[in-house]
Amino acid sequence: MARLRATTTGCLTVLVPLIVVLSTVLGALWYWSWHTDKVNAEHRQQALLALGDQVRRTKNETIRALDDEGSADPDALTAVIHRHTGAPVISYDASRHAFRARVVKRVEYESRTLLGISQSVTGRCLEYTYVLAKGHGWTSTMSVLKYDTCGPSVSIGSGARIASQRVAALEASELNRSGVRRALAPYRRFLTVSAVTRIGSAVRVSVVVSEETIRQCYRITRDGSQVFSVPAQTCQG
């Protein structure tokens, strides 16, 4: 009995400090995890606030640019909206003289993990609507949509980049309808050549970029080694 009591006492002498140490370690880990999540949430919120400021500036800058644009041509106005918003998909409602631009905007922020500090990304699916009100100039509204709603727009943007890269890689002698069609043939499922025209030293390629639910015309202009790509409302050269 004395030996059992001594053994029990010895075990308790070892276990109690071990439990204290483990409790301290687990408590420290819990606090570190809670604090890290709190800091990461604050950084994410700050990034979203900065994104909100950027979005509002973009909306206002685009309105000013549309007011300054002398042309009423839908393609010219589409190019203005694209230049300021970066939207890969811009639709036009002629009955209202209204443009709707859908785009994903992303922002990075610093986050902490067990491995140290890394960069995380958060984003929003945005839809800008620009309407010309008679006698009042351009007005705009902006909506935040469900993130997945911008999936087709992202796909259209990717398709347009592929078309631009293929046109940029062509030899000068291949900058014609047949040459462009051959270059885009591997992507004919979602890229369709509509027209190839020469304007002075530049060549303009009109391409329809398709996704399951959306089609967007793009005009790709190559002038020497420079290539410019903008969405358009018509694909007739």
Side-chain angles (χ1 to χ4, degrees):
M1 184 64 69
R3 183 181 303 171
L4 178 59
R5 190 179 296 114
T7 302
T8 302
T9 301
C11 289
L12 289 174
T13 302
V14 174
L15 285 174
V16 170
L18 182 59
I19 291 172
V20 171
V21 171
L22 288 175
S23 298
T24 302
V25 171
L26 290 174
L29 286 174
W30 176 87
Y31 176 79
W32 181 89
S33 178
W34 171 83
H35 181 68
T36 298
D37 289 345
K38 182 173 182 293
V39 170
N40 288 344
E42 290 173 352
H43 287 177
R44 183 174 183 273
Q45 185 60 30
Q46 291 168 2
L48 288 174
L49 289 173
L51 179 59
D53 289 340
Q54 176 190 337
V55 166
R56 284 186 288 273
R57 286 196 304 272
T58 295
K59 184 181 75 169
N60 295 332
E61 288 169 0
T62 308
I63 289 176
R64 286 194 293 270
L66 288 170
D67 284 335
D68 292 341
E69 176 63 39
S71 173
D73 176 48
D75 287 333
L77 296 171
T78 298
V80 170
I81 294 170
H82 175 72
R83 184 165 66 249
H84 287 273
T85 66
V89 171
I90 303 174
S91 60
Y92 175 58
D93 182 349
S95 64
R96 297 173 55 223
H97 200 46
F99 294 85
R100 189 171 62 185
R102 187 171 293 182
V103 61
V104 169
K105 291 294 184 181
R106 298 183 177 91
V107 61
E108 291 187 349
Y109 64 97
E110 186 180 273
S111 62
R112 298 178 181 180
T113 66
L114 282 171
L115 301 178
I117 297 175
S118 63
Q119 291 296 116
S120 295
V121 178
T122 186
R124 290 288 185 267
C125 174
L126 306 173
E127 186 170 87
Y128 298 93
T129 301
Y130 296 95
V131 181
L132 180 59
K134 291 183 179 179
H136 299 284
W138 289 90
T139 61
S140 175
T141 58
M142 189 275 295
S143 303
V144 179
L145 308 179
K146 294 176 68 173
Y147 195 80
D148 291 346
T149 308
C150 270
S153 179
V154 173
S155 296
I156 292 290
S158 297
R161 282 191 295 274
I162 290 172
S164 295
Q165 291 165 359
R166 299 292 288 187
V167 170
L170 286 173
E171 297 292 337
S173 60
E174 298 176 299
L175 288 172
N176 50 58
R177 192 180 184 90
S178 59
V180 173
R181 279 186 168 177
R182 282 195 300 271
L184 300 185
Y187 310 97
R188 58 179 172 270
R189 183 175 60 84
F190 58 90
L191 295 178
T192 304
V193 179
S194 178
V196 178
T197 55
R198 186 170 291 277
I199 306 171
S201 62
V203 174
R204 175 183 289 169
V205 178
S206 296
V207 178
V208 178
V209 186
S210 304
E211 199 271 340
E212 290 184 2
T213 58
I214 295 178
R215 288 159 53 92
Q216 179 71 57
C217 177
Y218 266 80
R219 288 182 175 177
I220 304 167
T221 302
R222 176 168 155 181
D223 190 355
S225 61
Q226 293 185 313
V227 177
F228 308 95
S229 175
V230 295
Q233 301 304 320
T234 57
C235 257
Q236 302 305 314

